[in-house]
Amino acid sequence: MYLLGSRMYVKCTRCHVALCLKDAQRCQSSAAHLEQHDFLKGAPHRKHPGVTNLKTVRLPEQLQVAAQSVLKRADVKSLSEKAHKLSNFLWSRKRATETSQLREKAVLLEKKFLEQERDIHTDGIDRKLEARIRKRVLSELRRTTYHRTPLRYDEDLGLVYMAARLAGGYAAVLRALNEIKKRDPVFVPYSLLDFGSGLGTGTWASHTLWGDSLKEYVCVDSSGDMNTLAEQLLRGGNDVDNPVIKQVYFRQFLPVSPKVLVENGTKDGHQILMEARDTILKREDDVKHDLRRPSIFAPCTHELPCPKLIKQHVVPCNFSQFYYPLPLLKSQERQQEKLSYLIISRSDEEKPQKTERWDMARLISQVRRRPRHVQCQLCCANGELKQLAVTARCHGKDMYRCARSSDWGDLLPVFHAEDDNTENKTR
């Protein structure tokens, strides 16, 4: 035992590392909690309740055959090259700058240029000088503001998009929806509304998970050509009126408020989802079509401000899913899709009071498996980011094995120490 500053440190006899006295006491009690609570629910460690990741995803065979048929019949020249360029372009896109942000930036630039001119022209600012300053402001805004190029998905661009994004888009949506299926097996949806449906990957992913329990699919996309291509895929790539998935309806315009949001796993994609999250949680009185209380189902384990945006604003909160692309080339190595997603549930009931002595934390980066310990970066239920080195001696064999079996995006149980009274007694 030794003192460092105002804290007392001891060497933990379980994991043989120096810990603050309070942390050491928690370390010694963690294993006991694991033995007392059956958080595994009878499952093996490699399939513990927090595992939501999928193995490498393949397109449904009927969807892959249909896509190949459509692309072969279209005979797009240099399709692979065009698909690669489009994919790179889509991942590099940033969100359009809001008008309010432009106004704020213009005001700051105007103040800056005015101060510079006052230092030079001590006799005052005339109208000609004001005009020059406005011109400088506009010029600087044009130079430094990102100009988002609108994409109009006609049939040709839709075909290239199919080659570039069909498999990755399907993998991302399947990964997000699979968490609902895994964590709430009682939930059986009977309808789906896909806003921004594109080629219908949301329909295919939902059908993969819930099959015939879904009685109606409504796909909304502003591009009529994309809707036509999505219908062709449902019909196996031909015009036969016998779709693989029945009761799918396509619309071009429909004002909706979706409950499951999936974006590219970029900084902007993450920011958009967090803004949607805050809007729904803070302004629920404005929602007239559904008065039930909203709550975050995934990936956040809390409803506090996103710590990634606060502390690591450069790095987005995203997750990874491996998949096999469309077989356009001989080499068919698996690829990685980065996604950010948000799942919101609504209920008439209040949240049940917690009885478990653990919280589920989200693994927000790759798990580093080392000899006798596992390095985990977690987003915890208290809204904090935490680096945790999980060891069998300190955290118990069950939690250690769960950590070794988990991966980026999974949930990991973080066990509480005894209550505060117990802690006070042991100090």
Side-chain angles (χ1 to χ4, degrees):
M1 183 181 295
Y2 59 93
L3 290 172
L4 182 60
S6 60
R7 292 193 174 190
M8 183 176 294
Y9 285 78
V10 297
K11 187 173 183 180
C12 179
T13 57
R14 298 184 64 83
C15 58
H16 305 290
V17 294
L19 297 173
C20 174
L21 182 59
K22 182 178 177 181
D23 293 334
Q25 291 164 351
R26 287 181 174 176
C27 179
Q28 292 171 2
S29 65
S30 293
H33 289 157
L34 291 173
E35 295 168 1
Q36 294 170 11
H37 302 281
D38 185 20
F39 72 98
L40 287 171
K41 300 179 181 178
H45 297 93
R46 59 188 174 83
K47 295 183 179 180
H48 70 83
V51 174
T52 57
N53 268 300
L54 296 168
K55 295 180 180 179
T56 306
V57 171
R58 294 181 183 274
L59 285 173
E61 184 177 357
Q62 291 167 308
L63 176 57
Q64 180 166 301
V65 170
Q68 288 177 290
S69 174
V70 170
L71 292 173
K72 184 178 180 180
R73 190 166 63 248
D75 192 24
V76 180
K77 293 183 179 179
S78 305
L79 179 60
S80 297
E81 182 182 348
K82 290 179 180 178
H84 181 70
K85 287 182 179 179
L86 177 61
S87 184
N88 288 341
F89 173 74
L90 292 174
W91 280 103
S92 66
R93 291 184 94 198
K94 298 178 182 179
R95 64 189 302 188
T97 306
E98 299 287 342
T99 304
S100 58
Q101 294 174 317
L102 282 174
R103 288 199 190 101
E104 184 179 345
K105 191 174 181 180
V107 169
L108 292 175
L109 286 171
E110 187 176 21
K111 288 181 179 179
K112 175 184 174 182
F113 295 151
L114 276 171
E115 289 174 2
Q116 291 174 355
E117 295 295 341
R118 285 196 183 101
D119 293 338
I120 301 172
H121 301 278
T122 56
D123 55 342
I125 305 294
D126 59 21
R127 290 184 177 180
K128 289 184 178 180
L129 195 54
E130 287 180 352
R132 286 205 304 271
I133 289 173
R134 285 195 295 270
K135 189 175 180 180
R136 284 184 65 188
V137 169
L138 290 173
S139 176
E140 187 67 10
L141 285 176
R142 281 194 293 266
R143 188 182 69 83
T144 59
T145 302
Y146 175 78
H147 300 281
R148 184 180 174 93
T149 305
L151 284 178
R152 301 188 183 280
Y153 284 98
D154 55 14
E155 183 179 1
D156 291 337
L157 186 56
L159 290 167
V160 177
Y161 183 86
M162 185 186 298
R165 298 293 305 133
L166 180 67
Y170 172 82
V173 178
L174 187 70
R175 162 65 182 84
L177 295 181
N178 179 67
E179 180 150 357
I180 303 175
K181 175 82 169 180
K182 172 70 184 289
R183 290 175 51 198
D184 191 0
V186 177
F187 173 72
V188 181
Y190 59 85
S191 65
L192 171 75
L193 174 59
D194 188 355
F195 189 74
S197 54
L199 295 170
T201 50
T203 293
W204 287 90
S206 301
H207 187 265
T208 297
L209 293 171
W210 290 291
D212 293 337
S213 69
L214 280 160
K215 306 300 182 186
E216 182 182 62
Y217 306 77
V218 178
C219 298
V220 183
D221 198 283
S222 60
S223 169
D225 289 315
M226 287 290 271
N227 286 336
T228 300
L229 287 172
E231 284 188 279
Q232 289 181 24
L233 293 176
L234 288 172
R235 292 177 178 143
N238 52 56
D239 296 328
V240 178
D241 191 15
N242 185 26
V244 176
I245 305 173
K246 308 292 193 296
Q247 306 302 320
V248 181
Y249 305 98
F250 292 90
R251 302 285 186 271
Q252 277 190 266
F253 303 101
L254 184 67
V256 297
S257 178
K259 306 286 181 61
V260 179
L261 304 175
V262 181
E263 284 282 344
N264 287 344
T266 60
K267 178 182 174 182
D268 284 338
H270 172 221
Q271 181 95 34
I272 290 169
L273 291 180
M274 292 302 98
E275 289 174 7
R277 173 186 187 268
D278 292 342
T279 297
I280 294 172
L281 291 180
K282 294 178 182 179
R283 303 176 187 176
E284 57 182 307
D285 290 340
D286 294 339
V287 180
K288 303 300 182 184
H289 66 277
D290 195 337
L291 299 179
R292 294 174 298 172
R293 186 183 60 82
S295 61
I296 305 301
F297 183 84
C300 313
T301 55
H302 57 85
E303 296 183 359
L304 299 167
C306 175
K308 271 271 192 175
L309 286 181
I310 298 171
K311 298 180 180 179
Q312 299 179 4
H313 62 277
V314 176
V315 183
C317 183
N318 60 14
F319 305 95
S320 172
Q321 178 60 55
F322 285 101
Y323 69 95
Y324 289 109
L326 275 173
L328 302 176
L329 302 173
K330 292 181 180 179
S331 176
Q332 286 300 303
E333 295 182 358
R334 69 174 188 169
Q335 296 182 11
Q336 187 182 43
E337 179 78 2
K338 294 285 185 67
L339 67 141
S340 295
Y341 68 103
L342 177 65
I343 302 175
I344 296 173
S345 63
R346 288 186 180 271
S347 175
D348 292 320
E349 302 175 0
E350 293 296 322
K351 280 187 176 180
Q353 190 172 2
K354 271 187 68 68
T355 57
E356 302 91 351
R357 290 181 177 264
W358 68 84
D359 290 314
M360 299 301 278
R362 182 76 60 176
L363 288 158
I364 56 172
S365 67
Q366 290 184 348
V367 175
R368 308 292 181 184
R369 298 172 184 85
R370 303 288 186 255
R372 295 195 294 181
H373 78 277
V374 184
Q375 289 283 355
C376 301
Q377 185 177 7
L378 301 167
C379 184
C380 300
N382 62 358
E384 295 291 330
L385 301 180
K386 183 177 183 179
Q387 290 280 358
L388 185 65
V390 181
T391 67
R393 291 192 175 190
C394 186
H395 302 92
K397 291 182 179 179
D398 284 331
M399 184 171 174
Y400 174 68
R401 289 174 182 172
C402 284
R404 291 199 78 89
S405 301
S406 300
D407 216 329
W408 182 8
D410 287 335
L411 291 165
L412 188 67
V414 176
F415 289 83
H416 305 161
E418 297 292 343
D419 58 35
D420 292 339
N421 293 331
T422 303
E423 282 188 20
N424 291 331
K425 292 176 183 178
T426 56
R427 288 177 186 174

